[in-house]
Each structure stands twice: as C-alpha cells, then as structure tokens.
Amino acid sequence: MQLLITEPSNTGGYPDKVPLYVFIKAIIPAMELRNPITLQNIQARLLICLYEIGHMIQPSLFLSISTVARCAIAVGCNRSVKSTESPTKDWVSREEEKRVWWTIYILDSYVPILTGFCNFVTDDPALDDCLPIEDNLWVTDAFPVPEPLPLMTPANVRVGPLARTVQAAHLLRRTTVHVRRSTGNEIFNVNEAAQIYGVMTCLSDLITQQATDLYCMNFCGAISMCNSARILLHHYHQIDERNRHYESCNHYFGTIAESCSTVIHMAKRFNSIATIFDANALNPLLPFSIYQAGSALAISDEWNLEEDKQHSLKELKEMLCVFSQRWKIADYHLEKLASTNTNEKS
C-alpha cells in the first residue's frame, strides 16, 4: 500500500526505478517459492498492478496482470463467483475472494485497451456469476448477509460501484473483442456494435444517475470504461471507415462528438470541483478515456466552431494535468495528445 500511494514527485520521474517498487517486485516471487500462494499474496500483486497501470510501466503492467490472474486461478479464487459453487467458507472469506477475483477481471479487461493486445487471461464470466455485494455493506460487515446478485442484474436494481465496474468491464471486453477480432461479415459487425453501444449507453446513463459529486470517484472506473468502449466503437466504425455499412446504422451510434461530449462534460464538472478531491482518490483508470476523447476531438470535423473545439480540448488537458500530479499515466497521455494535435495541424 505504501508503494501505491507514492506520488510521482517522490519517484524522481521514474516510477519503475523506485527502490520500494524494485524490492517488492523481487521479494514477492521469492516468498512464493518458499511458501504457498495466499490471498494476501494475490492482493499484494494487485496493488502492484494498479501502481504499474497508474504510472504506465510497460511491459510490466501487461505481464503483472497475467501473473496475478494465474495465481488466483491456481488457488481457486475464480470459483468464488460461481452461483453453483457450494459454500465451504464463511461469507466474509467468500466475499473477499469474490471481490479480489472481480478486481482481477476488471484489470484484465482494461489492460488490453492500454497495450493494444487483445489477450485475456481470465475467462468470460457466466451471466449468473455472482456480483460483489454493495460496497457500503461490505465495509460495515452488514448482517443479515444479502443474497448475491448475478452479473445480468437489470438496471433498475441498485448495486455498488464495484459491481457496476464489473458490468462495465464485461461490456468493454466485448467491445475490445469486437474491434480486434471482428468477423468478415460487415453487416453483422455493425449490428453487434450497435447492440453493444446501446447497452453501454444505458449503463453509462445509469451510473451517471447513481453517482453524485462527492461519490462519483467511486464510479470513475465504470464511467471510464463505458466512455472508452463507446469511443472505441466510433473510432473503429467511423473514423477508420472500415465499415461501409456504418452510415446506414448511424442512428444507432449517434456521433463521435456525442460520445466525446460525455467525457468533456465530466472534465468540466471535475475541473470545477477538483480542489476538494484527495489526490489519492484519483482513479488511474480514468486518464485513458480522457485521452481517447481528446484524440478523437482533435481529428474530428463534427464540431461547428473551432473555438468550442479548442475550449473542450483545454478542459480535457486540464483534467489530465490534475491527474498527472498523482499518476504518470496522465503525463504519458498528455504527451500523446500533444503529438496528435501537432500532427493534425501539420
């Protein structure tokens, strides 16, 4: 945990060279050679994964999520979410394992859009796999224990931030597979994309309604994944113009400007209240969707006024600047965004 809360200003600009990081990366495998893998080992590896994602340490982040997922599978952590699994532990232990496994699934679904690889270690979940319980109930050890809800829980049933993030990660994974492993049938591809886009939009609207200004940081991971998936679909089907049937289904997708506007609105809202947030509460999964919106905005001609376009880009960059105080990944995306703008002008 001490490693995870280390800010970029204390890393000398090289998060992968921090002595504590180097030490932990070396000591955990050594411990696992001498002792059985435990849930605590897996949780420690997860914290390392978050550190590597937050500071964009490649290729370590891609390798680390693969390792932690396989460690969890080796000790049976993946079975904790199965509705058919007979309970052999108390509910606290089962729920802890379930939350660990779903966190692994979330990161395993997210890392490919950062790295460009469409390789997942975790299997696709079944629709009746059990979601984690409401976060507030978990923190307070609520009794009686509520019945677990399935992954396919309808939108009108309230679930916690972690469960919403699981649902968003599931749709993000479907989007990634759709884009990176598309079929040769163009009509099928567009219809599938429209279906994913519709479900993702509904989920995004639901999360936005459930979040409040002071509570929204708990939903940032889910919001980020929804936005990333929608922009990814637009980029694949519209900007890259890989599908000549896109125009006929345009009413399903809306426009790239509409998807980017969701992120821009979030950036404006965040920038207006950024001073009240603890830096340690900033979610490292969020900067990528900000970069996606900025990159799409820079090359899109759907904005009526250049002034509005530049103002929106400024809001996105300002949000990335705030995140860069905590996570180097924001600096990484700021540099890429600057490069995109330079190429567009030239």
Side-chain angles (χ1 to χ4, degrees), residues 108-215:
D108 189 39
S109 300
Y110 177 78
V111 163
I113 67 170
L114 281 182
T115 61
F117 299 112
C118 188
N119 301 89
F120 305 107
V121 179
T122 56
D123 291 332
D124 290 336
L127 293 180
D128 62 347
D129 281 356
C130 300
L131 290 170
I133 65 169
E134 167 71 51
D135 300 58
N136 290 334
L137 299 180
W138 168 247
V139 171
T140 57
D141 292 334
F143 288 94
V145 182
E147 284 294 319
L149 297 172
L151 178 63
M152 60 180 177
T153 297
N156 61 343
V157 178
R158 182 183 178 89
V159 299
L162 181 57
R164 286 287 181 232
T165 308
V166 170
Q167 293 175 326
H170 178 59
L171 292 174
L172 177 62
R173 179 178 292 213
R174 282 194 60 190
T175 303
T176 305
V177 171
H178 169 82
V179 169
R180 303 276 163 77
R181 302 176 185 170
S182 60
T183 70
N185 187 325
E186 294 181 353
I187 296 178
F188 172 83
N189 289 341
V190 170
N191 289 336
E192 182 183 53
Q195 181 186 42
I196 296 173
Y197 187 86
V199 175
M200 188 68 73
T201 300
C202 290
L203 180 62
S204 179
D205 292 344
L206 176 66
I207 294 170
T208 302
Q209 293 171 11
Q210 193 171 344
T212 61
D213 281 344
L214 295 179
Y215 195 46

